[in-house]
PDB file of all heavy atoms in Angstrom:
ATOM      1  N   GLU A 126      26.668  -5.244  11.156  1.00  0.00           N
ATOM      2  CA  GLU A 126      25.509  -4.972  12.020  1.00  0.00           C
ATOM      3  C   GLU A 126      24.495  -4.079  11.325  1.00  0.00           C
ATOM      4  O   GLU A 126      23.295  -4.222  11.493  1.00  0.00           O
ATOM      5  CB  GLU A 126      25.973  -4.280  13.294  1.00  0.00           C
ATOM      6  CG  GLU A 126      26.343  -5.247  14.374  1.00  0.00           C
ATOM      7  CD  GLU A 126      26.807  -4.538  15.628  1.00  0.00           C
ATOM      8  OE1 GLU A 126      27.157  -3.347  15.553  1.00  0.00           O
ATOM      9  OE2 GLU A 126      26.832  -5.197  16.666  1.00  0.00           O
ATOM     10  N   ILE A 127      25.016  -3.115  10.558  1.00  0.00           N
ATOM     11  CA  ILE A 127      24.124  -2.178   9.871  1.00  0.00           C
ATOM     12  C   ILE A 127      23.545  -2.819   8.612  1.00  0.00           C
ATOM     13  O   ILE A 127      22.344  -2.804   8.388  1.00  0.00           O
ATOM     14  CB  ILE A 127      24.895  -0.899   9.496  1.00  0.00           C
ATOM     15  CG1 ILE A 127      25.441  -0.237  10.762  1.00  0.00           C
ATOM     16  CG2 ILE A 127      24.018   0.063   8.735  1.00  0.00           C
ATOM     17  CD1 ILE A 127      26.608   0.684  10.496  1.00  0.00           C
ATOM     18  N   LEU A 128      24.416  -3.417   7.822  1.00  0.00           N
ATOM     19  CA  LEU A 128      23.983  -3.986   6.540  1.00  0.00           C
ATOM     20  C   LEU A 128      22.908  -5.051   6.719  1.00  0.00           C
ATOM     21  O   LEU A 128      21.970  -5.152   5.941  1.00  0.00           O
ATOM     22  CB  LEU A 128      25.185  -4.591   5.808  1.00  0.00           C
ATOM     23  CG  LEU A 128      26.144  -3.594   5.172  1.00  0.00           C
ATOM     24  CD1 LEU A 128      27.309  -4.324   4.520  1.00  0.00           C
ATOM     25  CD2 LEU A 128      25.409  -2.757   4.132  1.00  0.00           C
ATOM     26  N   VAL A 129      23.085  -5.838   7.786  1.00  0.00           N
ATOM     27  CA  VAL A 129      22.178  -6.955   8.006  1.00  0.00           C
ATOM     28  C   VAL A 129      20.736  -6.475   8.193  1.00  0.00           C
ATOM     29  O   VAL A 129      19.790  -7.168   7.863  1.00  0.00           O
ATOM     30  CB  VAL A 129      22.674  -7.756   9.232  1.00  0.00           C
ATOM     31  CG1 VAL A 129      21.552  -8.477   9.911  1.00  0.00           C
ATOM     32  CG2 VAL A 129      23.765  -8.716   8.815  1.00  0.00           C
ATOM     33  N   LEU A 130      20.582  -5.232   8.702  1.00  0.00           N
ATOM     34  CA  LEU A 130      19.226  -4.749   8.975  1.00  0.00           C
ATOM     35  C   LEU A 130      18.569  -4.076   7.771  1.00  0.00           C
ATOM     36  O   LEU A 130      17.378  -3.787   7.794  1.00  0.00           O
ATOM     37  CB  LEU A 130      19.264  -3.786  10.155  1.00  0.00           C
ATOM     38  CG  LEU A 130      19.568  -4.473  11.490  1.00  0.00           C
ATOM     39  CD1 LEU A 130      19.833  -3.443  12.563  1.00  0.00           C
ATOM     40  CD2 LEU A 130      18.421  -5.375  11.892  1.00  0.00           C
ATOM     41  N   VAL A 131      19.349  -3.833   6.726  1.00  0.00           N
ATOM     42  CA  VAL A 131      18.824  -3.037   5.612  1.00  0.00           C
ATOM     43  C   VAL A 131      17.497  -3.547   5.022  1.00  0.00           C
ATOM     44  O   VAL A 131      16.571  -2.761   4.837  1.00  0.00           O
ATOM     45  CB  VAL A 131      19.902  -2.846   4.513  1.00  0.00           C
ATOM     46  CG1 VAL A 131      19.312  -2.299   3.242  1.00  0.00           C
ATOM     47  CG2 VAL A 131      20.994  -1.919   5.022  1.00  0.00           C
ATOM     48  N   PRO A 132      17.359  -4.860   4.756  1.00  0.00           N
ATOM     49  CA  PRO A 132      16.101  -5.291   4.130  1.00  0.00           C
ATOM     50  C   PRO A 132      14.861  -4.923   4.946  1.00  0.00           C
ATOM     51  O   PRO A 132      13.784  -4.709   4.402  1.00  0.00           O
ATOM     52  CB  PRO A 132      16.244  -6.817   4.070  1.00  0.00           C
ATOM     53  CG  PRO A 132      17.694  -7.072   4.142  1.00  0.00           C
ATOM     54  CD  PRO A 132      18.286  -5.972   4.957  1.00  0.00           C
ATOM     55  N   MET A 133      15.037  -4.821   6.251  1.00  0.00           N
ATOM     56  CA  MET A 133      13.917  -4.501   7.129  1.00  0.00           C
ATOM     57  C   MET A 133      13.358  -3.108   6.862  1.00  0.00           C
ATOM     58  O   MET A 133      12.197  -2.820   7.120  1.00  0.00           O
ATOM     59  CB  MET A 133      14.435  -4.574   8.563  1.00  0.00           C
ATOM     60  CG  MET A 133      13.406  -4.311   9.606  1.00  0.00           C
ATOM     61  SD  MET A 133      14.183  -4.656  11.194  1.00  0.00           S
ATOM     62  CE  MET A 133      12.882  -4.109  12.246  1.00  0.00           C
ATOM     63  N   PHE A 134      14.229  -2.237   6.346  1.00  0.00           N
ATOM     64  CA  PHE A 134      13.823  -0.847   6.214  1.00  0.00           C
ATOM     65  C   PHE A 134      13.280  -0.520   4.829  1.00  0.00           C
ATOM     66  O   PHE A 134      12.970   0.619   4.525  1.00  0.00           O
ATOM     67  CB  PHE A 134      15.006   0.063   6.538  1.00  0.00           C
ATOM     68  CG  PHE A 134      15.465  -0.096   7.950  1.00  0.00           C
ATOM     69  CD1 PHE A 134      16.776  -0.362   8.261  1.00  0.00           C
ATOM     70  CD2 PHE A 134      14.541  -0.010   8.986  1.00  0.00           C
ATOM     71  CE1 PHE A 134      17.180  -0.525   9.574  1.00  0.00           C
ATOM     72  CE2 PHE A 134      14.933  -0.169  10.294  1.00  0.00           C
ATOM     73  CZ  PHE A 134      16.260  -0.430  10.593  1.00  0.00           C
ATOM     74  N   ILE A 135      13.195  -1.507   3.970  1.00  0.00           N
ATOM     75  CA  ILE A 135      12.675  -1.252   2.638  1.00  0.00           C
ATOM     76  C   ILE A 135      11.302  -1.897   2.555  1.00  0.00           C
ATOM     77  O   ILE A 135      11.128  -3.042   2.964  1.00  0.00           O
ATOM     78  CB  ILE A 135      13.609  -1.838   1.571  1.00  0.00           C
ATOM     79  CG1 ILE A 135      15.001  -1.234   1.759  1.00  0.00           C
ATOM     80  CG2 ILE A 135      13.098  -1.546   0.182  1.00  0.00           C
ATOM     81  CD1 ILE A 135      16.046  -1.889   0.916  1.00  0.00           C
ATOM     82  N   SER A 136      10.338  -1.170   2.058  1.00  0.00           N
ATOM     83  CA  SER A 136       8.987  -1.717   2.055  1.00  0.00           C
ATOM     84  C   SER A 136       8.933  -2.923   1.128  1.00  0.00           C
ATOM     85  O   SER A 136       9.650  -2.999   0.130  1.00  0.00           O
ATOM     86  CB  SER A 136       7.981  -0.663   1.644  1.00  0.00           C
ATOM     87  OG  SER A 136       8.013  -0.464   0.274  1.00  0.00           O
ATOM     88  N   SER A 137       8.072  -3.868   1.496  1.00  0.00           N
ATOM     89  CA  SER A 137       8.054  -5.126   0.763  1.00  0.00           C
ATOM     90  C   SER A 137       7.618  -4.923  -0.675  1.00  0.00           C
ATOM     91  O   SER A 137       8.008  -5.677  -1.560  1.00  0.00           O
ATOM     92  CB  SER A 137       7.148  -6.126   1.468  1.00  0.00           C
ATOM     93  OG  SER A 137       5.838  -5.635   1.514  1.00  0.00           O
ATOM     94  N   ILE A 138       6.853  -3.879  -0.949  1.00  0.00           N
ATOM     95  CA  ILE A 138       6.405  -3.650  -2.319  1.00  0.00           C
ATOM     96  C   ILE A 138       7.594  -3.211  -3.180  1.00  0.00           C
ATOM     97  O   ILE A 138       7.759  -3.646  -4.323  1.00  0.00           O
ATOM     98  CB  ILE A 138       5.230  -2.636  -2.335  1.00  0.00           C
ATOM     99  CG1 ILE A 138       4.411  -2.803  -3.604  1.00  0.00           C
ATOM    100  CG2 ILE A 138       5.667  -1.212  -2.192  1.00  0.00           C
ATOM    101  CD1 ILE A 138       3.005  -2.290  -3.479  1.00  0.00           C
ATOM    102  N   VAL A 139       8.484  -2.405  -2.598  1.00  0.00           N
ATOM    103  CA  VAL A 139       9.692  -1.981  -3.308  1.00  0.00           C
ATOM    104  C   VAL A 139      10.603  -3.184  -3.539  1.00  0.00           C
ATOM    105  O   VAL A 139      11.134  -3.389  -4.634  1.00  0.00           O
ATOM    106  CB  VAL A 139      10.429  -0.875  -2.519  1.00  0.00           C
ATOM    107  CG1 VAL A 139      11.786  -0.583  -3.142  1.00  0.00           C
ATOM    108  CG2 VAL A 139       9.603   0.394  -2.460  1.00  0.00           C
ATOM    109  N   LEU A 140      10.759  -4.005  -2.493  1.00  0.00           N
ATOM    110  CA  LEU A 140      11.572  -5.217  -2.621  1.00  0.00           C
ATOM    111  C   LEU A 140      11.054  -6.091  -3.758  1.00  0.00           C
ATOM    112  O   LEU A 140      11.812  -6.546  -4.614  1.00  0.00           O
ATOM    113  CB  LEU A 140      11.537  -6.026  -1.324  1.00  0.00           C
ATOM    114  CG  LEU A 140      12.441  -5.586  -0.185  1.00  0.00           C
ATOM    115  CD1 LEU A 140      12.198  -6.450   1.034  1.00  0.00           C
ATOM    116  CD2 LEU A 140      13.905  -5.666  -0.592  1.00  0.00           C
ATOM    117  N   ALA A 141       9.753  -6.295  -3.772  1.00  0.00           N
ATOM    118  CA  ALA A 141       9.169  -7.182  -4.773  1.00  0.00           C
ATOM    119  C   ALA A 141       9.402  -6.641  -6.181  1.00  0.00           C
ATOM    120  O   ALA A 141       9.755  -7.397  -7.091  1.00  0.00           O
ATOM    121  CB  ALA A 141       7.679  -7.367  -4.504  1.00  0.00           C
ATOM    122  N   PHE A 142       9.247  -5.328  -6.391  1.00  0.00           N
ATOM    123  CA  PHE A 142       9.532  -4.742  -7.702  1.00  0.00           C
ATOM    124  C   PHE A 142      10.988  -4.968  -8.086  1.00  0.00           C
ATOM    125  O   PHE A 142      11.305  -5.320  -9.213  1.00  0.00           O
ATOM    126  CB  PHE A 142       9.252  -3.240  -7.714  1.00  0.00           C
ATOM    127  CG  PHE A 142       7.803  -2.897  -7.760  1.00  0.00           C
ATOM    128  CD1 PHE A 142       7.268  -1.920  -6.947  1.00  0.00           C
ATOM    129  CD2 PHE A 142       6.959  -3.566  -8.632  1.00  0.00           C
ATOM    130  CE1 PHE A 142       5.919  -1.614  -6.981  1.00  0.00           C
ATOM    131  CE2 PHE A 142       5.617  -3.262  -8.671  1.00  0.00           C
ATOM    132  CZ  PHE A 142       5.103  -2.286  -7.835  1.00  0.00           C
TER     133      PHE A 142
END
Side-chain angles (χ1 to χ4, degrees):
Chain A
E126 271 180 342
I127 300 158
L128 285 178
V129 153
L130 290 170
V131 168
M133 182 173 174
F134 297 127
I135 303 171
S136 77
S137 61
I138 203 157
V139 171
L140 280 176
F142 285 135

